[in-house]
Amino acid sequence: MRILVINPNTTREMTEKIGAAARRVASPGTEIVAVNPPEGPASIEGFYDEAISVPGMLEVIRTSQDFDAVVIACFDDTGLDAARCVTDRPVVGIGEAAYHMASMLANKFSVVTTLGRSVPALEHNLHRYGLAQRCVRVRASEVPVLDLEKPGSDARARIGAEIARAAEEDRAEAIVLGCAGMTDLAAALAAQYGMPVLDGVVCAVALCESMVRLGLRTTRIGGYAPPRAKAGGIEAPRKSA
Ligand code: 5HY
């Protein structure tokens, strides 16, 4: 099978890091194609960046060939519902994936993300997914997204300090890392803090593989029905192969 892993921001180093993480957990026979739009924000930090990244992300899906599932590798699950309208293949957001897996591993979890301006979108998603009551708090480490790509930055230390506060103050039993750029930190942080630390990239890849193996497709009725043709709309959405 082939999984299209889309980083909706345009930072190539981050896309490559995400792709490497996905390949480390992909099963034999699963091809990971990690891409980002050619244009758009270098990082997604809050509502505005999310909005301007969606058209480019959707175009990548519409113009990509022969994939069996899609991972949206931005923790905001940017454009997730719209993406499910333009393909019948399973589309999994890394936020939704990590939240659900955390809820199956712990009674309550906290999220550690980047900047405070990103927190409300993640809180909205928890409510949207019906998991708000399982998350004690969405915390900001105040690490800008692109600092995660800077060698020698204090990003890991700041994220770790926030995890320690979540353990102490929230009594969190698991941690969800709230940025695709943190994908390479999960294993070490789990060992350091003695609790599950979930990275949405690998959670989403595992869920995509499972759904493809079960032959599951996104519904074509209701809210995820293909877009109606209209002036200024998109061309006919992808048909299943
Ligand atoms: C992400 N931004 O996963 C989100 C995280 C955030 O560019 N990739 C980004 O800070 O909202």
Side-chain angles (χ1 to χ4, degrees):
M1 74 178 78
R2 175 177 293 151
I3 302 177
L4 181 64
V5 178
I6 306 176
N7 170 18
N9 75 39
T10 52
T11 297
R12 189 72 207 145
E13 300 89 336
M14 197 163 159
T15 304
E16 287 166 4
K17 178 164 74 171
I18 290 164
R23 290 184 188 99
R24 278 194 292 275
V25 298
S27 304
T30 295
E31 180 188 3
I32 299 292
V33 179
V35 296
N36 58 257
E39 292 174 6
S43 66
I44 294 166
E45 295 168 325
F47 297 122
Y48 180 80
D49 293 342
E50 270 189 54
I52 61 174
S53 73
V54 171
M57 188 267 292
L58 293 175
E59 189 61 11
V60 167
I61 295 175
R62 279 192 350 96
T63 56
S64 295
Q65 302 303 320
D66 300 334
F67 52 81
D68 297 290
V70 180
V71 169
I72 296 181
C74 174
F75 196 80
D76 305 45
D77 295 339
T78 310
L80 179 60
D81 290 321
R84 289 173 175 162
C85 296
V86 296
T87 176
D88 66 345
R89 302 312 202 221
V91 182
V92 178
I94 67 169
E96 186 173 25
Y99 288 154
H100 280 288
M101 284 208 185
S103 74
M104 291 184 267
L105 297 170
N107 291 288
K108 52 184 180 174
F109 61 87
S110 287
V111 179
V112 176
T113 189
T114 55
L115 299 177
R117 62 181 304 132
S118 295
V119 168
L122 307 189
E123 290 173 336
H124 288 179
N125 285 348
L126 281 159
H127 285 281
R128 188 157 74 104
Y129 304 144
L131 289 171
Q133 75 277 15
R134 302 293 297 280
C135 178
V136 183
R137 184 172 166 189
V138 179
R139 290 174 167 271
S141 58
E142 293 311 337
V143 169
V145 169
L146 296 186
D147 277 15
L148 292 161
E149 306 310 314
K150 285 181 188 163
S153 88
D154 65 351
R156 187 191 184 293
R158 296 177 78 157
I159 293 162
E162 204 58 41
I163 292 174
R165 281 190 281 274
E168 176 64 29
E169 298 167 16
D170 307 344
R171 316 306 290 169
E173 302 166 2
I175 296 293
V176 171
L177 296 178
C179 181
M182 299 177 183
T183 184
D184 56 339
L185 302 177
L189 289 168
Q192 182 175 353
Y193 292 98
M195 68 172 103
V197 175
L198 286 91
D199 151 46
V201 172
V202 299
C203 294
V205 169
L207 285 173
C208 282
E209 285 191 328
S210 298
M211 286 196 276
V212 171
R213 283 210 186 90
L214 294 173
L216 297 173
R217 298 279 178 92
T218 299
T219 184
R220 297 291 82 199
I221 58 178
Y224 290 153
R228 294 177 64 239
K230 62 191 70 174
I234 63 169
E235 291 156 33
R238 267 183 66 77
K239 294 282 183 288
S240 55

